[in-house]
Amino acid sequence: LLVRRRGVRGSGAVLDTCVFSGGVASLQYHFLIAPYLADTSVSLLERWTAAAYPMLDLFLVSVTVLAVTVTVQRGADLSLLILGLVACFAGDIVYGLQEIRDAYASGGWLDLTWMVNYTLLATAVWVGSRPGGRQQRTTRWVTWRQASALAASAVLAPIGLLLVIGEDPEEMVVLTVGTIVLTALVGVRLAGLLLQVSRQAETLAAALEERERIGVELRFQATHDALTGLANRHHLSVVIDELLGDPGQRDHTVVFLDLDGFRELNDRLGHAAGDEILVAVARRAAASIPPEGLVGRLGGDEFAVLLRETGVLDAVEVAGELLEALTGPIEINGSTIWVRA
């Protein structure tokens, strides 16, 4: 309930906790649980009860580690909670080992571990109930501490398996199954990490592509007329300044173009029709000049055509072809419009 209330981020955290729990459980089984279960001097119920304490302690510690490390919120209350449960876990482990050897004596230092556990649990509840006792946590990447703990936990079961090879067939079967399960969990976790990295790489690539697209669009808007898509006055000025600064001393010509009677057409047909006329004129002008030329809209019905490396005589010829191309009819809303320039 505590973990669910805090909000776990994804299944990776649960897999990490399962690997941690499985690795520690394998050592528990070898050194504690198996000797408990093999003790025939007590009843089966007593054996299973004694074995249940450290296993349930491990479960509580694992769930609390999950809550502390990878949930949405963390605070001092969870840190105190895990310290208390670790103290109880250690006390039950030592108690079990002493019981196997008949070395436990009530009232000794070991009893302090359980007293510390209850004290820390009560303190955790008190701290967690105070305003501001919890802070937000937004960590998403696996830290090096988490990765180290994951790697160490993953090798505990194989180590336990090596300890019992040739000694106890039943225990070897249990630890073999545990090793296979841990290996599978680690494989699934690594596959999840690779998938996460792949998705983040795709997201980053898409963001960079979108950023580049927006950059190209903004650069185009800054240098081109919004209506016709032609170069705007500023862009034309920049290109002409660059040509004037060229030390090659080559001839360039600028042809100015002005539509006749456009204001009357605009008033009579409306601004929408006037915009269509300007777009049609711009399209025809761009198609009527040499490829190295540049058509720009200066504003209103005024245009300019930059002819690179073109002398005046050749520019006059291009201007005649341009005027001829513009004199054709333009169809606007079912009406035929004749444009002069």
Side-chain angles (χ1 to χ4, degrees):
L1 290 177
L2 175 65
V3 173
R4 185 175 298 177
R5 190 180 306 124
R6 294 296 177 108
V8 179
R9 291 182 179 275
S11 60
V14 178
L15 287 174
D16 290 345
T17 305
C18 290
V19 172
F20 166 76
S21 303
V24 177
S26 64
L27 291 185
Q28 271 190 310
Y29 184 82
H30 173 64
F31 291 105
L32 190 61
I33 307 301
Y36 264 144
L37 298 180
D39 184 9
T40 57
S41 62
V42 295
S43 66
L44 182 62
L45 179 59
E46 289 178 307
R47 281 181 274 171
W48 278 105
T49 303
Y53 271 94
M55 296 304 294
L56 291 175
D57 287 341
L58 175 60
F59 172 75
L60 291 176
V61 170
S62 300
V63 173
T64 314
V65 168
L66 176 65
V68 170
T69 56
V70 290
T71 53
V72 177
Q73 294 181 336
R74 100 175 186 190
D77 54 339
L78 287 181
S79 300
L80 292 171
L81 179 60
I82 193 171
L83 287 176
L85 292 175
V86 166
C88 183
F89 183 35
D92 286 346
I93 290 290
V94 176
Y95 167 79
L97 295 174
Q98 289 184 355
E99 274 289 289
I100 293 174
R101 298 170 177 83
D102 292 326
Y104 172 71
S106 179
W109 63 269
L110 186 59
D111 294 355
L112 288 174
T113 58
W114 299 305
M115 297 175 65
V116 169
N117 169 39
Y118 298 133
T119 303
L120 290 177
L121 292 184
T123 307
V125 174
W126 175 69
V127 172
S129 63
R130 297 171 57 195
R134 299 170 182 172
Q135 296 93 30
Q136 294 291 328
R137 179 180 176 87
T138 58
T139 303
R140 297 184 180 180
W141 288 96
V142 176
T143 65
W144 68 269
R145 293 186 181 89
Q146 291 172 322
S148 301
L150 185 65
S153 301
V155 300
L156 290 179
I159 291 175
L161 183 61
L162 291 175
L163 294 175
V164 300
I165 289 179
E167 294 184 1
D168 189 340
E170 294 183 2
E171 187 176 352
M172 192 170 71
V173 170
V174 173
L175 291 177
T176 300
V177 173
T179 301
I180 294 174
V181 172
L182 275 182
T183 303
L185 289 175
V186 172
V188 173
R189 183 66 172 112
L190 291 177
L193 287 175
L194 291 177
L195 181 61
Q196 179 185 4
V197 171
S198 176
R199 288 176 176 174
Q200 289 176 338
E202 292 176 358
T203 301
L204 179 60
L208 292 176
E209 183 178 350
E210 179 66 13
R211 180 180 178 182
E212 179 64 23
R213 185 193 66 79
I214 294 176
V216 171
E217 182 177 345
L218 291 176
R219 287 192 294 271
F220 182 86
Q221 293 176 356
T223 56
H224 290 76
D225 178 59
L227 175 63
T228 62
L230 300 177
N232 58 22
R233 179 190 296 269
H234 173 71
H235 185 49
L236 273 174
S237 300
V238 171
V239 174
I240 292 174
D241 288 341
E242 292 176 352
L243 293 176
L244 292 176
D246 185 5
Q249 299 297 327
R250 288 169 291 186
D251 290 336
H252 312 285
T253 306
V254 175
V255 176
F256 286 90
L257 175 67
D258 179 72
L259 299 183
D260 293 335
F262 176 75
R263 180 173 299 178
E264 289 76 8
L265 287 174
N266 204 29
D267 292 341
R268 179 163 56 91
L269 300 176
H271 291 289
D275 290 344
E276 292 186 40
I277 294 174
L278 291 176
V279 171
V281 169
R283 189 180 301 114
R284 291 183 180 182
S288 303
I289 65 172
E292 65 274 8
L294 178 64
V295 183
R297 182 187 177 197
L298 302 180
D301 61 347
E302 296 181 346
F303 300 83
V305 181
L306 171 63
L307 302 174
R308 296 182 177 90
E309 301 183 13
T310 303
V312 174
L313 295 180
D314 292 334
V316 169
E317 182 178 351
V318 173
E321 296 174 355
L322 184 60
L323 289 177
E324 184 178 354
L326 295 179
T327 55
I330 300 175
E331 297 292 332
I332 303 294
N333 296 331
S335 302
T336 301
I337 307 298
W338 294 85
V339 178
R340 302 186 310 274

